[in-house]
Amino acid sequence: MRLKLFLFIFISSFFITAQNKTIDSLHVQLKNANSDILRSKLLNNLASEYSANNPKLMLSYANKALSLSSKIGFKIEQGNAYHYIGNANVIFGNYSNALDNFLKAQHIFENEISFKSNEIELQNGLARAYGSIGFVFMQQSNYSKALSFNFKALKIFQKTNNIIKQAVIYNNIGVIYKSQGDFFKSLSYYEKCLSIQEKLNDKNIGTTNNNIGLVYLNLKDFPKGLEYFNKSKNYFDKYPNPYGLAELFYNYGLYYKIVNQNEKAIDYSKKALDFFTIVENKFMIADSYALLGTIYFEQNNNKLALEYISKALNIAKELNVLDKIQSFEKSLSEIYEKQNNLAASLKHYKLYSIAKDSLANAETVKSTIRAEMNYDFDRKEMLQQEAQFKKDLEYKQEAKLNKIKIAFAAFLVLFVCGILFLIYNKSVLKKKLTLEKELAVYEQKALHLQMNPHFIFNCLGSISSFIVKNSTEAAIIYLAKFSKLMRLTLEYSKETLIPIDKEIESLQNYLELEQLRFNGSFQFIINKSSDIDDDVALPPILLQPFIENAIIHGVNSKVNTGLIVVDFKIENQCLVCVVTDNGIGINVSKELKEKKISMHKSMALDITRKRLEMMETSTSQEATVSIEQIEENSEVKGTRATLILPLQYLPNL
């Protein structure tokens, strides 16, 4: 089932009559326009109006707008023209050209924003370009890049307080996670979208409720799914939407089929078929026929099952949709087999096998094309970024030279020496600050690299101890977990920042290793606040020393089962990481450590403190760590280590 995306490149909320009036009005204005600036705007407006029903005219007017705006140097409309040209190429299925034009729009808006940072129109144009690039990658099943560009668009719309577009992006992110099978994340972003739509009385709220209901259907929470389908129906009654209603009826059919209410399933599937016929969506007409055929097949009504599946197959062949042809041929083979018509069953099974092979070959070709397109996109983006950097540098140098000339002409006699001194001093200070910042980053990386051998040596010591004390089978399990942990550690060994989910995954593996090592003498819980987005990041292996101390010096010394709790939350624009144990307490741990004779000196906490100092230097924000003993009524309840870090995000997500 295809979910509906609220993509700005396809949205058209006007009825045909109203749209024709708008187009006629724009043509009149274009004919009477007395400036090229106004003409370029009107040409782009016409391209936008034709996006809903005539992509060829959309492309034609966008090209005219691009030619005129390029001629007069009108950057905003030039960027908009590239955007509409990209939209037309998306509709035509030419994703490579679409990406090329969206990328050009992106860099035009980025360039203009660097000189006019207060222009909201430019900010929204850039966000629109990011969202469109994300949509193309979504269509190409490149979910990582799709998420990356949608998050970029979301941050800009949050900055410009564009609440309507925020809802659009939240919905699109939900669709991407749904396509990946991550239903819980999908649900959380759909709910964010729904929250905004409820406040705005958005006409698309029915579609969002329908999407949420379908997620609950996938999660097998059928009462919840039906609840949201019913909400969706109420909103569609209030805000008519034939396509949305068709999708809802189809989902009702799925629901009632699952709960074995076949009469209702048939009724709603036929309603969906009628509506999809009205809106001329052949893909969903085929799916509706197939759903009806499946229901009749389960009722042992082979005649009707054969009729509807055959209709679905004919449409799939007309559209040349290989995955549908494969599925429907297999269904026909099963129906004929049940009728004991083995010849027909074998015939359709052979056709199913042919379609399956063709689909596999087509997927291989698509994968190659996607890889080539991604490579070409990355190359073009890198080249444009390099060209933009040179252009910015030339602009700054030219601006600086002009200032010097103006200052020299105005104050030639009295202030020439002072001006030259100030310019020189400013340049030296800027270089010094830049070098100090780069030095801080490299020192932080060096400290991180010191942590790697410390962490690996500790783990190797744990393996040695575990193998001596335990069986071969247990040691093999332990080594497998250690191997996974080392892969994660080495994967991010060169990164300054990693996604918070990857840090949590690494901690999860480490704690599971230590549980095995200490024979389950402690339990652990890792909590992440819902306020933390997926692109929040932190330095790798930052919390491991505190968890190591909690295990060795805290809960491992207890007689009863220990408990370690790791919490991640956001407070006052900072990432707060808390490691809590119910062990013997830091003071008693220190006393026991002093009594022991040991040649080992742990440097992990010292290195961590230095890493936090470097983080403060590179981000110009406070980074602190505190360790305290937990006491209640003079009784020791454990130890709490709290890290307060600057809130940082991954640059490419």
Side-chain angles (χ1 to χ4, degrees):
M1 180 61 192
R2 300 186 176 188
L3 295 174
K4 185 173 182 178
L5 281 73
F6 308 140
L7 287 156
F8 10 74
I9 63 176
F10 294 124
I11 288 178
S12 176
S13 59
F14 302 104
F15 294 105
I16 297 300
T17 303
Q19 186 184 38
N20 288 337
K21 289 181 179 179
T22 303
I23 290 173
D24 291 341
S25 174
L26 288 171
H27 278 295
V28 172
Q29 293 178 56
L30 181 63
K31 184 178 180 180
N32 298 325
N34 55 9
S35 73
D36 287 341
I37 292 176
L38 180 58
R39 288 190 190 94
S40 60
K41 288 183 177 180
L42 291 170
L43 287 168
N44 271 327
N45 288 341
L46 280 166
S48 176
E49 291 299 324
Y50 280 117
S51 65
N53 54 22
N54 197 328
K56 289 184 179 179
L57 282 177
M58 175 190 184
L59 181 61
S60 173
Y61 281 106
N63 277 318
K64 290 177 182 178
L66 176 62
S67 177
L68 183 57
S69 59
S70 300
K71 178 182 176 182
I72 62 176
F74 194 4
K75 293 296 184 181
I76 293 179
E77 292 306 323
Q78 191 176 344
N80 288 334
Y82 278 126
H83 179 75
Y84 291 125
I85 293 171
N87 290 347
N89 278 283
V90 167
I91 297 172
F92 294 138
N94 194 337
Y95 294 115
S96 179
N97 282 347
L99 269 180
D100 187 41
N101 283 282
F102 289 145
L103 188 59
K104 290 176 181 177
Q106 170 195 338
H107 287 288
I108 284 177
F109 288 125
E110 285 178 341
N111 182 43
E112 291 300 295
I113 287 170
S114 64
F115 306 131
K116 303 175 184 177
S117 58
N118 60 333
E119 290 285 347
I120 293 180
E121 184 179 0
L122 291 170
Q123 296 278 358
N124 286 331
L126 178 59
R128 193 169 65 246
Y130 284 151
S132 296
I133 292 171
F135 172 72
V136 174
F137 280 122
M138 166 65 184
Q139 294 299 101
Q140 296 295 303
S141 301
N142 190 335
Y143 300 121
S144 175
K145 272 189 165 55
L147 281 174
S148 172
F149 280 96
N150 273 286
F151 275 118
K152 286 182 179 181
L154 177 61
K155 282 183 169 52
I156 295 176
F157 286 136
Q158 288 172 340
K159 181 180 177 182
T160 61
N161 199 29
N162 194 328
I163 299 176
I164 296 175
K165 295 300 184 185
Q166 288 178 40
V168 171
I169 297 298
Y170 282 136
N171 181 84
N172 293 348
I173 294 173
V175 172
I176 294 169
Y177 280 127
K178 165 67 173 60
S179 301
Q180 291 178 296
D182 196 337
F183 298 118
F184 289 106
K185 280 189 176 180
S186 174
L187 187 61
S188 70
Y189 282 96
Y190 279 145
E191 288 173 344
K192 289 180 181 181
C193 172
L194 184 63
S195 176
I196 294 175
Q197 290 176 332
E198 287 175 342
K199 292 176 184 177
L200 300 177
N201 291 321
D202 193 304
K203 293 182 180 181
N204 292 310
I205 193 170
T207 299
T208 304
N209 277 282
N210 189 22
N211 286 347
I212 293 174
L214 189 57
V215 172
Y216 277 117
L217 216 60
N218 281 282
L219 292 172
K220 302 190 184 305
D221 190 341
F222 304 127
K224 272 284 187 182
L226 182 61
E227 176 188 338
Y228 277 94
F229 289 152
N230 290 336
K231 288 181 180 179
S232 177
K233 179 62 168 62
N234 292 335
Y235 282 114
F236 283 138
D237 289 340
K238 186 177 179 180
Y239 306 116
N241 181 339
Y243 186 84
L245 199 59
E247 287 189 321
L248 175 62
F249 286 148
Y250 183 90
N251 290 343
Y252 269 129
L254 286 176
Y255 166 79
Y256 285 115
K257 175 182 177 294
I258 292 171
V259 298
N260 295 319
Q261 295 186 34
N262 289 326
E263 293 305 317
K264 285 188 176 181
I266 291 171
D267 181 50
Y268 277 108
S269 299
K270 287 183 177 180
K271 287 180 180 179
L273 179 61
D274 291 339
F275 273 89
F276 282 128
T277 303
I278 292 171
V279 298
E280 298 181 352
N281 188 320
K282 291 187 176 182
F283 287 97
M284 293 309 301
I285 291 173
D287 282 348
S288 299
Y289 278 136
L291 180 58
L292 282 165
T294 303
I295 297 169
Y296 283 124
F297 184 61
E298 291 179 357
Q299 290 183 315
N300 294 318
N301 190 336
N302 295 327
K303 181 180 178 181
L304 285 178
L306 192 63
E307 176 186 342
Y308 281 106
I309 297 294
S310 296
K311 289 180 179 180
L313 177 61
N314 290 335
I315 295 175
K317 287 180 177 179
E318 177 187 343
L319 298 174
N320 195 30
V321 184
L322 292 176
D323 58 332
K324 300 292 183 187
I325 295 173
Q326 172 190 334
S327 174
F328 300 154
E329 290 286 6
K330 186 177 181 182
S331 297
L332 287 175
S333 176
E334 292 172 352
I335 295 170
Y336 280 119
E337 183 181 7
K338 198 169 184 179
Q339 291 180 328
N340 290 322
N341 189 341
L342 299 182
S345 175
L346 179 60
K347 172 188 173 183
H348 284 283
Y349 188 82
K350 289 180 178 179
L351 292 173
Y352 153 73
S353 298
I354 293 171
K356 184 178 179 182
D357 292 339
S358 299
L359 180 62
N361 293 334
E363 285 299 320
T364 301
V365 173
K366 284 182 180 178
S367 297
T368 304
I369 294 173
R370 280 197 295 266
E372 290 176 353
M373 188 180 70
N374 290 339
Y375 171 77
D376 189 51
F377 174 81
D378 291 337
R379 183 179 61 82
K380 288 178 181 178
E381 188 174 38
M382 182 184 68
L383 291 174
Q384 289 192 357
Q385 286 175 349
E386 183 179 349
Q388 186 63 44
F389 174 77
K390 291 180 180 178
K391 188 175 180 180
D392 291 346
L393 186 60
E394 290 174 359
Y395 176 85
K396 291 176 182 178
Q397 289 175 341
E398 184 180 351
K400 186 176 180 181
L401 182 59
N402 288 336
K403 287 181 180 179
I404 293 174
K405 287 179 180 179
I406 294 170
F408 181 76
F411 306 101
L412 179 61
V413 178
L414 298 175
F415 305 104
V416 62
C417 294
I419 291 173
L420 291 174
F421 173 78
L422 288 174
I423 292 173
Y424 173 77
N425 188 56
K426 183 179 179 180
S427 176
V428 171
L429 179 61
K430 184 177 180 181
K431 289 180 180 178
K432 181 180 178 182
L433 291 174
T434 302
L435 288 173
E436 287 178 353
K437 189 170 183 179
E438 290 179 352
L439 179 61
V441 172
Y442 285 124
E443 286 180 352
Q444 187 173 352
K445 287 185 177 180
L447 290 170
H448 168 217
L449 292 174
Q450 289 181 44
M451 278 298 300
N452 284 343
H454 169 87
F455 175 63
I456 293 172
F457 291 154
N458 282 356
C459 289
L460 289 173
S462 299
I463 290 176
S464 176
S465 174
F466 190 89
I467 292 175
V468 170
K469 296 179 181 179
N470 294 273
S471 65
T472 302
E473 182 178 353
I476 290 172
I477 295 173
Y478 190 95
L479 282 170
K481 290 183 176 291
F482 171 75
S483 174
K484 183 178 180 181
L485 181 60
M486 286 301 96
R487 280 197 299 272
L488 288 173
T489 303
L490 293 174
E491 182 182 356
Y492 292 101
S493 62
K494 295 181 181 179
E495 302 292 337
T496 304
L497 296 172
I498 64 171
I500 191 168
D501 285 346
K502 292 297 181 182
E503 176 70 1
I504 291 173
E505 183 182 0
S506 179
L507 294 177
Q508 177 94 15
N509 277 274
Y510 175 72
L511 284 162
E512 289 174 357
L513 277 173
E514 294 299 84
Q515 270 188 329
L516 287 172
R517 177 187 172 194
F518 293 111
N519 297 319
S521 63
F522 69 93
Q523 301 295 320
F524 69 90
I525 302 172
I526 301 178
N527 300 313
K528 186 183 82 168
S529 171
S530 60
D531 294 332
I532 301 176
D533 285 328
D534 297 341
D535 57 345
V536 171
L538 72 165
I541 321 181
L542 191 64
L543 269 69
Q544 188 273 339
F546 300 97
I547 294 176
E548 179 183 345
N549 282 350
I551 296 171
I552 297 175
H553 306 307
V555 299
N556 193 41
S557 302
K558 286 178 65 72
V559 176
N560 299 323
T561 301
L563 175 65
I564 296 173
V565 180
V566 184
D567 293 299
F568 296 89
K569 55 189 176 181
I570 294 178
E571 291 182 0
N572 300 322
Q573 294 301 308
C574 293
L575 178 62
V576 180
C577 312
V578 183
V579 179
T580 308
D581 65 67
N582 65 343
I584 59 177
I586 188 172
N587 295 334
V588 176
S589 177
K590 285 180 178 178
E591 292 174 2
L592 292 174
K593 189 175 181 182
E594 289 172 356
K595 293 177 181 179
K596 293 181 179 180
I597 300 175
S598 175
M599 295 299 292
H600 172 70
K601 180 181 179 183
S602 175
M603 298 177 64
L605 292 179
D606 290 337
I607 293 174
T608 300
R609 287 190 173 92
K610 289 180 181 178
R611 292 178 76 188
L612 295 179
E613 290 174 6
M614 294 302 102
M615 192 185 304
E616 287 184 334
T617 303
S618 62
T619 63
S620 301
Q621 298 181 53
E622 187 177 7
T624 62
V625 59
S626 62
I627 303 175
E628 59 183 348
Q629 185 163 282
I630 305 172
E631 295 183 1
E632 291 182 10
N633 300 323
S634 300
E635 183 180 356
V636 176
K637 295 293 185 178
T639 305
R640 180 187 298 113
T642 305
L643 285 83
I644 301 177
L645 309 175
L647 193 56
Q648 301 182 82
Y649 298 90
L650 288 178
N652 62 340
L653 186 62

